Structures are given as structure tokens and as C-alpha cells.
Amino acid sequence: NAGVTQTPKFQVLKTGQSMTLQCAQDMNHEYMSWYRQDPGMGLRLIHYSVGAGITDQGEVPNGYNVSRSTTEDFPLRLLSAAPSQTSVYFCATKSLSSGANVLTFGAGSRLTVL
Amino acid sequence: AQSVAQPEDQVNVAEGNPLTVKCTYSVSGNPYLFWYVQYPNRGLQFLLKYITGDNLVKGSYGFEAEFNKSQTSFHLKKPSALVSDSALYFCAVRDMKVTSGTYKYIFGTGTRLKVLA
């Protein structure tokens, strides 16, 4: 049981490049979300999804795209990376049907944009 | 607007002493409150939660938290700190604005706990 798997763990990009951060879960959780963690800012919600085909914006969505074609995967796309997107990104999931209200986090992806 | 505040960036405590990490919240309605811990280079791990019921909630690794509605606080406590408790601690509240079955979690800025041997 892998839980929440994020890839890659580390990535360095140049300004203007595009990339996708992957998030996969094997817990059949309906809810999936992306956060970014910055010093002094805590965790801020980027996008989230409550099921395949359904996504919505969080607190800081600009510069990021998401899609949810399957229950298991929730990729985060940066179409044109900017230095302000240098951060640690976390995927978090939750079961909506169990009522547990507890998020399960991946190990994180550290992104540096030069 | 829903919000969470962690007033201390860092808390230092000697091993064996009691520890408190503070959290205050602002929500409309009854809050769902959480504490998570982050060890270096790891994702966040759930410690404990308050949904309803007893104001003193017990969680993992000997941690507990006290919900105080009048002071809108949810402080994390442990009677005797261990060096291995050193980590980054986050308080969170579930945004209770439910629209079309969607909802969000709001995190505080985090408090770094340093337990000194």
C-alpha cells in the first residue's frame, strides 16, 4: 500500500519551461489537492478535485493547471514556469465517503525555477 | 473568512519539560480543527483532530490538544517533550463553506518545535 506518491522529488527548471508534477494514490480517495509550502506562508491550496472530471481552484491557482481523468491521478501542470513558483509542492488526498476528515500527504516535490 | 493563526514561529523546550504549541482560529459555525507534524524532507502527518465532543483530544505520539471555544484556541500539548518531537507543526481548520460538495482546509504558517537535550 503505497499511499500518496509524488514524482519527481526534485526538479530544476528555467524560466518559461513547462513541466508536470505527478500525484498518484492507491487508497481510492475521492478528494485530491495540491498545496505549495513556502517559508513563513505555511501551506496554500492551489487546486483540488472531488472526483474524476471535477476540479476547482484554491487560494493560489494562477500559473497552474490541473485535470482529473481518473480517481488515482491528479497531475499539476506549470505551463510557463516563473521564479515565484519555486516552492515545495505537496499532494494531499482524503476519503469523502468515510467521514474521517483527515488528509494524507505525499512526501513532496521540491521545484526550483531559475 | 476562515483563518488559523500560529503566533510563534519557533518554540524551544528542554527535554522532559511540558510543551505547548499555540493555535487560534476564526471560523463561522462549529470548527473542525487539526494538528499535523512535518519532519525534515517529509510530507505532513496527521496528529489529532477535534470535531465534536470532549474538549481534550488525544492523538499520536503522546500529544494532546485542548479545544477552547471561548478563546477560539486549539493548543497542542505534551506533558514531557522528547528530542525526537523536534519538527514543524501545523494547525489547520476545515473551511465549512460547503458548495456543491466541495470544501477546503486552511493551514497555519507552522511552528518549529526544538527540543533541547
Side-chain angles (χ1 to χ4, degrees):
Chain A
N1 190 351
V4 180
T5 303
Q6 289 184 235
T7 55
K9 287 189 175 3
F10 301 95
Q11 183 71 50
V12 179
L13 289 178
K14 294 181 180 177
T15 297
Q17 287 185 318
S18 62
M19 78 155 301
T20 299
L21 299 177
Q22 302 289 349
C23 176
Q25 54 103 358
D26 60 1
M27 299 173 288
N28 205 33
H29 284 177
E30 299 92 338
Y31 180 90
M32 298 186 74
S33 57
W34 278 102
Y35 287 86
R36 58 177 290 172
Q37 183 181 23
D38 302 292
M41 305 288 289
L43 275 77
R44 292 181 291 170
L45 181 64
I46 305 171
H47 286 286
Y48 64 98
S49 167
V50 296
I54 305 169
T55 63
D56 204 350
Q57 295 181 348
E59 183 184 359
V60 287
N62 292 341
Y64 307 95
N65 282 347
V66 292
S67 60
R68 184 95 179 269
S69 56
T70 67
T71 300
E72 294 78 18
D73 300 296
F74 190 46
L76 179 71
R77 297 183 183 85
L78 286 71
L79 297 179
S80 179
S84 60
Q85 294 178 303
T86 293
S87 187
V88 181
Y89 292 85
F90 288 99
C91 181
T93 73
K94 186 177 106 63
S95 168
L96 295 181
S97 54
S98 73
N101 282 292
V102 173
L103 292 170
T104 301
F105 283 81
S109 297
R110 184 176 294 272
L111 175 66
T112 301
V113 182
L114 303 176
Chain B
Q2 325 273 356
S3 65
V4 171
Q6 293 181 243
E8 302 153 319
D9 290 336
Q10 181 160 318
V11 170
N12 295 329
V13 64
E15 188 174 33
N17 282 4
L19 70 87
T20 299
V21 182
K22 295 180 181 177
C23 172
T24 58
Y25 64 89
S26 173
V27 301
S28 53
N30 294 321
Y32 285 21
L33 295 159
F34 305 83
W35 277 101
Y36 287 82
V37 60
Q38 184 182 30
Y39 298 102
N41 301 312
R42 303 283 295 274
L44 278 70
Q45 298 175 32
F46 169 73
L47 271 182
L48 50 80
K49 66 180 178 182
Y50 173 83
I51 305 297
T52 186
D54 194 349
N55 288 346
L56 185 63
V57 179
K58 293 189 184 299
S60 306
Y61 313 122
F63 283 93
E64 57 190 28
E66 186 169 11
F67 171 66
N68 187 318
K69 189 170 184 177
S70 62
Q71 296 186 6
T72 62
S73 66
F74 189 56
H75 301 333
L76 181 70
K77 300 181 180 184
K78 188 173 182 182
S80 178
L82 300 172
V83 172
S84 57
D85 292 329
S86 298
L88 188 57
Y89 291 81
F90 289 95
C91 183
V93 63
R94 179 181 146 180
D95 185 340
M96 294 305 292
K97 287 186 293 184
V98 178
T99 304
S100 302
T102 63
Y103 36 85
K104 308 171 187 177
Y105 292 78
I106 300 165
F107 284 81
T109 53
T111 298
R112 188 165 299 282
L113 173 67
K114 198 173 259 191
V115 181
L116 308 169

